[in-house]
Amino acid sequence: MAVAIGLAWGASGAFAAAGDLVVVDPPAPLLPDDSATPYETAISGNGRFVAVTEGRDCVELAPDDDPINDCYDEQQIWRYDLQTGARVKVSTGGFALGGAREPALSYGGSVAAWTAFYWLPDADTTRVFRSEPGSDAPGADVLAGTDTSLPEFISHPSISADGGSLALQGQAYGGTCASSAFAWSAGSPTVGTVAGGCAEAGAEGTVGDAGRSPELSADGGTLVFAGTEGLYRYDVPARTWQLIPVPAEVDLQSVGIGDSRLALSGDGSTVAYITRGPEGELTLWATDVATGASTSLASVPAGPAVLSTRTPAISANGRYIAYDWGIDGEAASGLRTFVADRTTGASTLVSTRPGLADGFAISAAGTGPGISADGRYVTLIASDARDAVPDAATPSGPHAIRADVLGAPADTVAPPKPNAIKVSQSAGSVQLTWPAVAEPRSPVTYRIRQRPIAGGPASVIGTRVQSGTTLTLPGLTAGARYRFAVQAEDVQGNRSTATTVTFTAAGQTDPTAPEITAPADPYTGTGEAQTGGAFTIEGADLANVTGVLIGGRPATGLSISATQITGTAPAGADAASVPVTVLGPFGAEAAGRFLYQAAG
């Protein structure tokens, strides 16, 4: 039975727990260009890595005298490691005057495939490239040196779990029959034609039909695609195929057109897709690849907010399906991301957080959500990241979000908190270091967040996640006050309490006055008034204190730290209670009184 999605989504439930939402692409200056706008995501099967397609300002490509004056949004793909905070470029080795889109990641995130495109008046083309993000080798055109009779446009890569096999779509101009499907393997020098298009007879091992949206199973052995006759299941090693007998009410004509594509479970058992009905209504379907049994999981009636150019995502076992929907008849601002659980029948709102009755909007520029193999993590693009993660360190505008839908396993014990954070300053940079925490559920990562401080500068890093115990902060403003908090996080996502450190960037003295912890009683000297005696002043921000006056006279033997000052009061001639004052670039600050006792 279909679930009609509207404002009644809450009846199906919504997840809500601390740490469920993480901003994937961090704020500047980590991004190379502040104008970058994310609009596509792909998540690795293990949920650790997220690839994000980012579009930047329009780049002029055609010569000045060209009347067409072609121009397009420059697009590149980056892979983010949500365990270490590392960020590497995926789309290396593509066309010099082109862009990249449609990322796909292997299960472990070590291999990526994407579509490289090149739009010019004399040479439009798309090709699929494959790379190992973070390696020195650039990405390579997987069809380089193969059959030159292939279509000019090769795109829509679907990748196996090990990254060694791909499914590809070929496209010629004109109509649904212009699509073709191909299978590629790193171990073979040639590309195998799976579906050659409606006009071609089915040669041995080739389907004589269109090949729209070919999708590959995790082991690379099963390929499913849409043709004019219906859905096809293709056995890649055997080069045999079968037509999947879907019910008559399932209209597949809109599937595989534009960005409305199929999604195949990793085990090859289930395919999910969204169809558009005759009145414009949308239906989310799940089809059993072996039998053709199809279930309508959710539907949206026809309306101005209904979009067909969305592709669902499905978990490895076919249980969880993530999808984007327009709700309540609104415009693009009404788009939300949901997850359907085929076991329970529930449809859960993902793009939400506690306190939001209707959730937050997702970007209308996106092509659909991503989902990890176990269904725990879902990626989406929020129209405004601060609606998802309302924090001072969160960047505004569209940003990729990873949502933890299912939550961590039963282990909820947080690791110990980091301590003894050391601040080391050198010309132009500051380095924070701390001892590694002892955690039996290793590995441990550290979450470093810049905390706001009155009068302090803008965010330097926002939130950084890394495995190392050292963080270098270049480009700080001399004389400015900074505050950072460090948390330890285990593999289950449990986080320790934070340890905070505050410092002033080198290059200028600290104008901030210290905070003195006023003593309940005066500092008391020895029994001989003229001897004076030892004293201890406690507080915060004491590191820049330069001197202490006892009754207007300087104390001696000072030892100064950020939280404590010890020293010896000068000898006094008479029994008296005198003021204690600390001195520094901030001026003079009262610090209690010192009692000279009467002799004897």
Side-chain angles (χ1 to χ4, degrees):
M1 180 178 295
V3 178
I5 303 297
L7 287 182
W9 61 263
S12 298
F15 78 94
D20 280 332
L21 300 172
V22 175
V23 180
V24 173
D25 50 331
L30 295 184
L31 284 176
D33 184 347
D34 286 349
S35 67
T37 300
Y39 73 96
E40 282 181 317
T41 66
I43 187 169
S44 61
N46 62 7
R48 173 175 171 175
F49 298 95
V50 178
V52 181
T53 303
E54 298 171 0
R56 292 175 176 78
D57 290 340
C58 200
V59 177
E60 199 71 38
L61 295 182
D64 292 339
D65 58 353
D66 188 271
I68 299 180
N69 203 24
D70 272 12
C71 193
Y72 67 87
D73 288 339
E74 182 188 358
Q75 296 168 10
Q76 298 298 335
I77 301 170
W78 303 85
R79 189 198 69 179
Y80 295 87
D81 185 340
L82 297 189
Q83 186 176 100
T84 67
R87 173 184 179 274
V88 296
K89 190 174 183 179
V90 170
S91 51
T92 61
F95 299 122
L97 292 178
R101 63 187 181 191
E102 300 174 343
L105 292 176
S106 62
Y107 178 87
S110 61
V111 181
W114 75 96
T115 300
F117 62 88
Y118 180 92
W119 300 129
L120 278 180
D122 59 345
D124 291 357
T125 189
T126 62
R127 276 292 186 268
V128 169
F129 280 66
R130 178 177 174 272
S131 67
E132 297 179 6
S135 69
D136 295 331
D141 183 351
V142 299
L143 300 183
T146 59
D147 188 351
T148 57
S149 65
L150 292 171
E152 190 66 24
F153 301 100
I154 302 291
S155 59
H156 299 307
S158 175
I159 194 167
S160 61
D162 63 2
S165 300
L166 299 174
L168 313 171
Q169 178 173 309
Q171 187 72 35
Y173 287 108
T176 59
C177 285
S179 299
S180 49
F182 302 92
W184 176 91
S185 173
S188 173
T190 60
V191 61
T193 302
V194 172
C198 304
E200 296 190 17
E204 183 178 358
T206 302
V207 180
D209 197 349
R212 303 195 309 269
S213 185
E215 304 298 322
L216 197 62
S217 61
D219 63 3
T222 299
L223 194 153
V224 173
F225 62 93
T228 58
E229 300 297 323
L231 290 177
Y232 291 87
R233 179 190 181 277
Y234 190 89
D235 187 316
V236 177
R239 292 187 59 79
T240 59
W241 55 273
Q242 68 182 68
L243 190 63
I244 302 172
V246 298
E249 64 266 25
V250 179
D251 185 358
L252 294 168
Q253 296 308 306
S254 61
V255 176
I257 306 298
D259 293 315
S260 179
R261 301 179 54 76
L262 302 174
L264 180 65
S265 60
D267 61 8
S269 66
T270 308
V271 62
Y273 49 95
I274 294 174
T275 61
R276 178 181 287 276
E279 302 300 324
E281 68 276 11
L282 297 185
T283 304
L284 172 66
W285 296 93
T287 294
D288 185 297
V289 172
T291 67
S294 300
T295 304
S296 172
L297 301 176
S299 62
V300 171
V306 176
L307 300 182
S308 63
T309 56
R310 295 289 188 179
T311 299
I314 189 168
S315 63
N317 63 1
R319 174 175 177 176
Y320 300 103
I321 300 175
Y323 59 100
D324 293 343
W325 244 203
I327 67 168
D328 198 36
E330 299 175 6
S333 62
L335 287 172
R336 302 291 189 270
T337 298
F338 297 83
V339 166
D341 184 340
R342 296 176 61 218
T343 299
T344 66
S347 196
T348 301
L349 179 64
V350 173
S351 54
T352 190
R353 59 174 173 80
L356 290 182
D358 301 330
F360 56 83
I362 62 172
S363 172
T367 56
I371 195 168
S372 60
D374 60 3
R376 174 178 176 180
Y377 296 110
V378 171
T379 56
L380 54 94
I381 296 175
S383 296
D384 190 337
R386 291 189 176 180
D387 291 338
V389 184
D391 187 280
T394 300
S396 60
H399 281 275
I401 303 292
R402 188 188 73 173
D404 186 346
V405 180
L406 302 181
D411 175 21
T412 58
V413 178
K417 73 174 185 177
N419 54 31
I421 300 175
K422 180 182 178 181
V423 179
S424 302
Q425 301 208 40
S426 60
S429 69
V430 171
Q431 188 177 76
L432 306 181
T433 58
W434 57 92
V437 302
E439 167 57 44
R441 296 169 297 278
S442 59
V444 170
T445 56
Y446 299 93
R447 183 175 294 270
I448 306 99
R449 178 186 294 259
Q450 183 177 350
R451 293 283 179 83
I453 189 170
S459 174
V460 176
I461 64 167
T463 299
R464 173 77 65 85
V465 180
Q466 62 182 51
S467 58
T469 57
T470 299
L471 176 64
T472 300
L473 305 166
L476 302 188
T477 303
R481 300 282 290 166
Y482 291 89
R483 180 174 293 146
F484 290 87
V486 181
Q487 287 178 292
E489 182 173 350
D490 63 22
V491 293
Q492 305 296 344
N494 301 310
R495 299 177 190 171
S496 71
T497 56
T499 299
T500 302
V501 63
T502 302
F503 61 89
T504 300
Q508 182 178 320
T509 55
D510 181 11
T512 304
E515 299 177 10
I516 306 298
T517 302
D521 299 306
Y523 310 112
T524 304
T526 65
E528 298 293 334
Q530 67 273 17
T531 304
F535 64 87
T536 299
I537 299 173
E538 295 182 341
D541 296 327
L542 302 178
N544 290 318
V545 170
T546 58
V548 178
L549 299 180
I550 307 292
R553 294 180 297 161
T556 59
L558 295 179
S559 176
I560 302 173
S561 71
T563 58
Q564 189 179 81
I565 302 172
T566 61
T568 302
D574 302 303
S577 174
V578 298
V580 179
T581 306
V582 296
L583 305 176
F586 45 81
E589 289 289 323
R593 302 186 70 81
F594 186 92
L595 176 63
Y596 284 97
Q597 300 186 79

